[in-house]
Amino acid sequence: MSSKSPLPANLLKNKHWKWHIPSEKTAETVRGLVLSAPHLVKSTPVRAVYHCEDFYLKFDRSPNLWSAFRKSIYPKSRVEYGIGRNLAAAGIPSVECLGWGKLGGTNVLITRAMPGFEPMEGVFYREIVYGGGNPDGILSEITAFLKKFFDAGFYHGDLHFGNILYNPGTHELAWVDLIAIGHPGTIEPAARRFMSRCIVTLREGLNRARMLRTIREVGAAETDAEAETFYFTEVRHSALHLLETWEKRSGQALSGYPKFADAVPCPGAPGRTMLLRKDWLERPLLTKEDAANGMPAGYELLRVDNEAEAETIYLRSIYLQTLRVRHRRVAAFTRPNELWLEPLPAGFEGSFPHNDPEAAFFWRTLDEQMIEAPASSAGRLPDGSFYLTDLTQIRAGFEE
């Protein structure tokens, strides 16, 4: 969140706005809102999102004159408002679109705030992957929600779980950020499979049987064999995409980019910096207080020969987490050569039968993600999922 509002506080009071808000009461309230930094949710050169009172206001901004001219003719807010109305008419749950407005090359979409809702992926990681909850209920809700959307003839060009909100209290789901949704009326099998790829991003919290069942339930496959082919194709695709963007991501991970780590002064070592690693929800595995007061029980110090080797091990952990492979993560990295590993999970078993379908599925998943790991570096958790323990024995795809 920016500390400064990118838009004037009194912007909505400008008399030259052209408003398209059916409810006059809502229109009057919106025109009286004041835009300020505490209300700012997101700001980029082309977008600013504010949460004011009971509303979200998503401004589509113009970085240059050509963009301003184009957006004055074809406002994105008008398009998204229309999509929201179509979803509502079809009974598809989504954020409630209340209206839109245009002021030259700037336009804004007004939606109603949804207390209690949060991005689905965050809920899944918090409650299932990290919280150890049973995934069956939430998966049934996800597949029913997606099937209703597909069966109603809607198409989403950027379907991921950041675009789906979930209320853990009421078990309701709803679409948000609607601009990529279309309504061709009929969804071909290839389009359904394309949109269903989002299911594979939940793999860190699912065993083989539950993953294949979910792929079938959403309609992306009819048999387990088809579901496996679908799964491994998408796993490979995600690994290749990561490698394409790896130079940027690895640079961010090593520099203390907030998504990956917090860079803090190393306790007792003036001039040295410690990277405190974050999980998928961007929560630190260790805090500054932990580092200052002595690492908590269970964390293990790993010293390697040189800085290059330490960087590689740290980046292996980032690579595995990005590809949703459970492993003993590097919780902190202090240059030149000190790495702190998180504790082993409770109930971890260092051996497992190598001839069962779950094990074969696990090793094939690693292979498709271009991860080499000996059997001695893997074990099993109480929920049946597999877990890599020794990062010094693993080779990740970026090392090819």
Side-chain angles (χ1 to χ4, degrees):
M1 181 184 294
S2 171
S3 60
K4 182 179 179 181
S5 174
L7 298 173
N10 63 348
L11 178 65
L12 296 172
K13 300 179 186 298
N14 190 306
K15 64 180 181 180
H16 296 294
W17 278 98
K18 294 182 179 179
W19 293 108
H20 303 269
I21 304 175
S23 167
E24 181 54 38
K25 181 179 179 181
T26 299
E28 183 180 353
T29 303
V30 168
R31 290 193 296 265
L33 294 175
V34 175
L35 305 178
S36 63
H39 298 138
L40 184 61
V41 176
K42 180 179 181 180
S43 177
T44 71
V46 297
R47 178 181 293 184
V49 180
Y50 291 82
H51 182 189
C52 300
E53 299 185 10
D54 295 329
F55 309 104
Y56 274 91
L57 298 101
K58 183 164 70 172
F59 290 88
D60 188 34
R61 305 160 67 195
S62 302
N64 53 56
L65 289 175
W66 167 245
S67 175
F69 173 75
R70 181 168 52 84
K71 291 178 180 181
S72 69
I73 302 299
Y74 188 71
K76 287 178 64 176
S77 297
R78 180 183 66 191
V79 176
E80 191 164 356
Y81 174 75
I83 294 169
R85 302 286 286 185
N86 287 341
L87 290 169
I92 303 296
S94 72
V95 62
E96 184 181 358
C97 295
L98 301 173
W100 66 282
K102 183 179 72 167
L103 177 66
T106 296
N107 55 93
V108 61
L109 175 73
I110 302 100
T111 60
R112 194 179 300 282
M114 302 177 69
F117 282 81
E118 52 188 307
M120 167 59 78
E121 186 172 57
V123 177
F124 188 85
Y125 263 80
R126 185 183 68 240
E127 298 192 359
I128 308 301
V129 178
Y130 298 145
N134 187 321
D136 287 346
I138 198 169
L139 288 175
S140 296
E141 292 160 355
I142 289 171
T143 54
F145 178 78
L146 291 177
K147 278 179 60 63
K148 182 176 182 179
F149 181 77
F150 299 158
D151 292 345
F154 285 91
Y155 178 83
H156 200 303
D158 184 29
L159 205 168
H160 58 77
F161 287 113
N163 285 333
I164 298 176
L165 299 182
Y166 182 72
N167 188 323
T170 62
H171 301 278
E172 296 174 281
L173 295 92
W175 292 102
V176 69
D177 201 6
L178 313 179
I179 193 65
I181 294 177
H183 192 206
T186 302
I187 301 301
E188 298 296 329
R192 183 182 290 255
R193 288 192 295 271
F194 173 80
M195 291 186 287
S196 299
R197 297 184 308 166
C198 62
I199 294 296
V200 181
T201 66
L202 305 178
R203 59 187 176 272
E204 190 172 350
L206 306 181
N207 60 27
R208 171 185 176 272
R210 199 61 185 89
M211 171 56 73
L212 299 186
R213 175 180 159 190
T214 305
I215 291 171
R216 295 197 320 272
E217 288 178 345
V218 81
E222 294 185 359
T223 66
D224 276 355
E226 291 178 354
E228 277 205 347
T229 298
F230 176 87
Y231 170 84
F232 287 125
T233 298
E234 180 54 25
V235 163
R236 184 72 170 186
H237 172 80
S238 62
L240 291 172
H241 176 71
L242 176 58
L243 290 177
E244 290 175 358
T245 60
W246 184 249
E247 182 177 358
K248 177 181 178 180
R249 294 197 189 204
S250 60
Q252 292 173 333
L254 290 170
S255 65
Y257 185 69
K259 177 180 179 179
F260 296 106
D262 288 327
V264 302
C266 182
R272 295 175 68 188
T273 298
M274 173 181 284
L275 292 176
L276 298 180
R277 169 76 172 286
K278 295 183 178 180
D279 67 13
W280 191 261
L281 298 177
E282 299 184 23
R283 304 175 304 186
L285 304 184
L286 287 166
T287 66
K288 291 188 290 185
E289 290 72 24
D290 291 327
N293 299 328
M295 295 298 181
Y299 285 83
E300 180 182 335
L301 177 63
L302 173 65
R303 284 195 179 95
V304 296
D305 292 337
N306 54 65
E307 186 170 352
E309 183 180 357
E311 281 191 358
T312 298
I313 292 173
Y314 174 74
L315 290 176
R316 282 176 191 159
S317 187
I318 296 289
Y319 185 90
L320 294 175
Q321 178 170 292
T322 305
L323 291 178
R324 297 171 167 84
V325 178
R326 288 188 171 186
H327 67 287
R328 191 178 190 186
R329 294 167 295 188
V330 174
F333 171 32
T334 304
R335 296 185 187 278
N337 64 338
E338 294 182 354
L339 302 154
W340 283 94
L341 306 177
E342 67 179 343
L344 285 171
F348 170 77
E349 295 183 6
S351 61
F352 52 87
H354 292 268
N355 58 349
D356 69 11
E358 289 287 344
F361 191 76
F362 170 71
W363 294 115
R364 171 80 184 276
T365 297
L366 294 186
D367 184 58
E368 294 293 345
Q369 295 175 120
M370 291 162 279
I371 299 167
E372 297 177 13
S376 59
S377 70
R380 210 163 190 173
L381 299 177
D383 64 2
S385 62
F386 289 84
Y387 185 88
L388 295 176
T389 58
D390 190 348
L391 290 171
T392 65
Q393 298 186 56
I394 295 166
R395 187 177 180 88
F398 70 88
E399 300 174 69
E400 296 294 330

